């Protein structure tokens, strides 16, 4: 429980500040969203990838397992959406919900406190895979306007080029000049707080009434995803700490950034905001169970 409090309390505090500001002032959600997508998030992805040291063996297996798990979750989201006759926006939002887990600002501290530095190193590998997918595949999937249109959207996003630059810097062991590095670090440090503030503002305008949609999204994210990750990781030959980190990262609640992307690329942001809140609350109970079962 101490791990959960240490990881979640700061997240809740920043979102609560955003909630208060959203209740007090009329803020433009589109402006907040674009500030994050086109300025802050690219800097965070670039610095994270550039500073990451990957141990090739388990890193490749972890990332491959993550990608396979994401594909299966995507197919489940699409299949359920059609089965339950969800609207196009509701289908997009469910895809975002199942594909975006909070592996950064919740997953990293949770795994650090639970499994130590060795676990954190593997959690960062998972985060790298997630960041690259977000920068490349996700806009194509969420845009749902065909491959060519999706690629055009991806190529216009700075986060895509930031991911490529970060991978290049990591591979060549190069570094930015110190002033530029400090500037990028400052920008990157703002991505998570602004995303949480945006969530708080959105929640201030959202009636928190949960129905089957939010419950389905939370179950897919908190229960189905880690079970699939365990099976896929085992099939990929992952064992011990490698598999445990894979399962824990897959068990994280819906990421705050899912709201950012749905606002920009299309979807039901009210549904997403509600599912973020519900899944984060329920994760207080599910994460200790997953940690115990995966050990």
């Amino acid at each position: 429980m101490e791990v959960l409090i240490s990881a979640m309390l700061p997240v809740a505090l920043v979102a609560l500040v955003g909630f208060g500001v959203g209740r007090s002032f009329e803020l433009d959600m589109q402006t907040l969203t674009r500030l994050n997508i086109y300025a802050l998030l690219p800097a965070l992805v670039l610095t994270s990838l550039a500073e990451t040291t990957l141990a090739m063996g388990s890193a490749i297996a972890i990332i491959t397992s993550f990608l396979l798990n994401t594909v299966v979750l995507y197919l489940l989201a699409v299949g359920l959406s059609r089965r339950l006759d969800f609207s196009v926006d509701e289908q997009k939002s469910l895809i975002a919900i199942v594909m975006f887990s909070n592996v950064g600002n919740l997953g990293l501290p949770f795994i650090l406190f639970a499994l130590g530095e060795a676990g954190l190193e593997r959690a960062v590998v998972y985060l790298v895979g997630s960041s690259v997918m977000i920068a490349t595949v996700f806009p194509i999937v969420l845009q749902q306007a065909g491959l060519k249109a999706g690629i055009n959207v991806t190529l216009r996003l700075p986060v895509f080029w930031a991911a490529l630059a970060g991978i290049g810097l990591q591979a060549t062991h190069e570094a930015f000049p110190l002033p530029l590095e400090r500037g990028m670090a400052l920008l990157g440090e703002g991505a998570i707080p602004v995303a949480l503030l945006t969530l708080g503002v959105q929640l201030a305008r959202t009636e928190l009434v949960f129905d089957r949609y939010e419950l389905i999204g939370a179950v897919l994210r908190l229960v189905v995803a880690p079970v699939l990750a365990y099976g896929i990781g085992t099939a990929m030959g992952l064992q011990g700490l490698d598999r445990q980190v894979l399962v824990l990262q897959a068990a994280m609640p819906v990421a705050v950034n899912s709201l950012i992307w749905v606002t920009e690329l299309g979807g039901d942001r009210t549904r997403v905001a509600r599912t973020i809140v519900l899944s984060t609350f329920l994760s207080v109970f599910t994460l200790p169970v997953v940690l115990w079962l995966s050990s």
Side-chain angles (χ1 to χ4, degrees):
M1 185 58 67
E2 182 181 348
V3 171
L4 287 166
I5 293 174
S6 299
M8 290 183 172
L9 191 57
V11 172
L13 177 61
V14 178
L16 185 61
V17 171
F19 182 88
V21 172
R23 279 293 178 92
S24 303
F25 303 99
E26 278 293 327
L27 299 177
D28 182 11
M29 284 291 295
Q30 198 78 9
T31 299
L32 289 172
T33 297
R34 288 178 174 170
L35 177 66
N36 205 307
I37 287 179
Y38 293 99
L40 306 180
L41 189 58
L44 177 63
V45 170
L46 174 56
T47 54
S48 296
L49 292 177
E51 295 171 2
T52 297
T53 302
L54 300 178
M56 290 302 293
S58 61
I60 292 174
I62 289 172
I63 291 175
T64 303
S65 299
F66 154 73
L67 291 174
L68 291 172
N69 195 38
T70 301
V71 169
V72 175
L73 288 170
Y74 166 76
L75 294 174
L76 281 174
V78 172
L80 278 172
S81 296
R82 293 175 179 172
R83 178 84 174 180
L84 299 174
D85 199 26
F86 288 162
S87 67
V88 173
D89 278 351
E90 287 176 333
Q91 177 176 311
K92 286 184 177 183
S93 298
L94 190 61
I95 291 170
I97 285 166
V98 301
M99 292 178 72
F100 270 97
S101 58
N102 199 344
V103 298
N105 56 320
L106 181 57
L108 295 186
F110 180 85
I111 289 173
L112 173 62
F113 297 143
L115 303 175
E117 291 291 340
L120 179 63
E121 182 180 4
R122 289 159 174 80
V124 169
V125 170
Y126 192 106
L127 176 63
V128 169
S130 178
S131 299
V132 172
M133 187 200 71
I134 290 168
T136 55
V137 178
F138 186 74
I140 296 173
V141 170
L142 199 62
Q143 191 71 13
Q144 291 189 354
L147 181 61
K148 183 177 179 181
I151 291 174
N152 287 334
V153 171
T154 298
L155 293 178
R156 290 198 301 268
L157 292 172
V159 70
F160 170 73
W161 302 105
L164 291 183
I167 292 171
L169 288 171
Q170 199 277 334
T172 58
H173 305 289
E174 295 292 335
F176 284 119
L178 186 59
L180 184 57
E181 181 182 345
R182 288 175 174 172
M184 296 300 293
L186 282 173
L187 279 173
E189 288 168 2
I192 291 173
V194 170
L196 290 172
L197 288 169
T198 303
L199 172 62
V201 172
Q202 178 63 44
L203 290 176
R205 306 175 183 179
T206 302
E207 185 181 359
L208 294 181
V209 178
F210 307 120
D211 59 23
R212 68 169 185 172
Y213 184 96
E214 289 79 22
L215 183 60
I216 288 171
V219 170
L220 286 173
R221 180 69 269 142
L222 300 175
V223 179
V224 176
V227 170
L228 286 173
Y230 183 88
I232 291 171
T234 301
M236 290 294 300
L238 290 177
Q239 297 179 348
L241 197 56
D242 290 344
R243 184 173 60 189
Q244 189 174 15
V245 169
L246 173 75
V247 172
L248 283 173
Q249 285 287 59
M252 291 297 150
V254 183
V256 177
N257 278 336
S258 61
L259 178 64
I260 302 291
W261 286 100
V262 165
T263 302
E264 179 66 12
L265 298 177
D268 189 330
R269 68 190 188 195
T270 298
R271 293 284 197 187
V272 172
R274 290 174 178 171
T275 311
I276 291 170
V277 173
L278 180 61
S279 66
T280 302
F281 171 74
L282 292 177
S283 69
V284 174
F285 306 98
T286 59
L287 282 176
V289 175
V290 174
L291 178 62
W292 175 64
L293 290 176
S294 63
S295 60

